[in-house]
Amino acid sequence: GAVVSQHPSRVICKSGTSVKIECRSLDFQATTMFWYRQFPKQSLMLMATSNEGSKATYEQGVEKDKFLINHASLTLSTLTVTSAHPEDSSFYICSAADRSYGYTFGSGTRLTVV
Amino acid sequence: RKEVEQDPGPFNVPEGATVAFNCTYSNSASQSFFWYRQDCRKEPKLLMSVYSSGNEDGRFTAQLNRASQYISLLIRDSKLSDSATYLCVVTRNTGKLIFGQGTTLQVKP
């Protein structure tokens, strides 16, 4: 089946620094990648949708300058949390959409900003 | 109002019990419907798709009522390994997955 590899699985960073999260589709081409954030005891909230070769579409309330998304190839999408603050601490998950495999999720990245 | 609403629970049931979860969605244009399972600190995993005709997979039965905008999941003969959070998910016509808050199930021996 389809696999999406997400790295890192866990990261701790200092306030004010930037963190990059990568999602790679290993055996299929992901033309669309969705990025979600999940706070404790809450649901996954869609942050943005990225399509290969074009600008990401952000959901209402999500700062595009803070959460930079790059989808430069059909197998790689990255989310960079810039100038991270403690309130950005969360579980970030990507999901790749493919016509054959449906939606495949990465294993998630637990970000802690100290 | 949230686009997808679920009772967060928790539902605490003994092994062997039958338990039902419900979900409502507000966007009548929603196209596809799913139940996902999420274990603590893990990514969600697809449990089953949901159709108006109803579908069954072993001990799990899902049902969709488009007129009422209501989705259900029934788990029979609960196992300890069924303990998890069950997420009701709908898609918009853009293909985006919209998640409910999730319902937590704890099956006890």
Side-chain angles (χ1 to χ4, degrees), chain A residues 10 34 36 38 41-46 49 57 59 91 93 95 103 105-108 110, chain B residues 34 36 38 40-46 87 91-92 94-102:
Chain A
R10 189 182 298 266
F34 301 100
Y36 294 85
Q38 185 178 33
K41 298 189 185 300
Q42 294 188 26
S43 185
L44 278 75
M45 296 300 296
L46 181 64
T49 304
T57 304
E59 294 298 300
F91 190 51
I93 307 179
S95 173
Y103 299 91
F105 285 84
S107 54
R110 192 160 300 281
Chain B
F34 308 94
Y36 275 75
Q38 186 176 27
C40 189
R41 295 175 175 265
K42 301 277 189 180
E43 75 275 21
K45 294 189 185 296
L46 178 64
L87 303 168
T91 63
R92 295 177 183 166
T94 54
K96 298 177 183 178
L97 291 179
I98 306 301
F99 287 80
Q101 180 183 0

Side-chain angles (χ1 to χ4, degrees), chain B residues 41-59:
Chain B
R41 295 175 175 265
K42 301 277 189 180
E43 75 275 21
K45 294 189 185 296
L46 178 64
L47 182 65
M48 58 199 309
S49 301
V50 191
Y51 308 108
S52 298
S53 56
N55 52 312
E56 186 174 314
D57 183 2
R59 298 181 292 109

Side-chain angles (χ1 to χ4, degrees), chain A residues 13-90:
Chain A
C13 71
K14 290 185 177 180
S15 196
T17 61
S18 295
V19 173
K20 180 186 281 189
I21 301 169
E22 289 189 354
C23 274
R24 293 180 184 274
S25 55
L26 297 187
D27 46 10
F28 68 102
Q29 293 181 330
T31 53
T32 302
M33 191 78 79
F34 301 100
W35 287 94
Y36 294 85
R37 177 170 54 181
Q38 185 178 33
F39 292 107
K41 298 189 185 300
Q42 294 188 26
S43 185
L44 278 75
M45 296 300 296
L46 181 64
M47 298 175 67
T49 304
S50 73
N51 293 294
E52 184 266 337
S54 63
K55 289 184 179 180
T57 304
Y58 290 81
E59 294 298 300
Q60 191 173 9
V62 178
E63 300 174 58
K64 63 179 181 180
D65 295 329
K66 181 171 181 61
F67 299 99
L68 301 179
I69 291 173
N70 185 286
H71 195 160
S73 78
L74 286 171
T75 59
L76 174 64
S77 179
T78 61
L79 167 67
T80 301
V81 183
T82 62
S83 187
H85 291 284
E87 57 265 31
D88 298 324
S89 298
S90 187

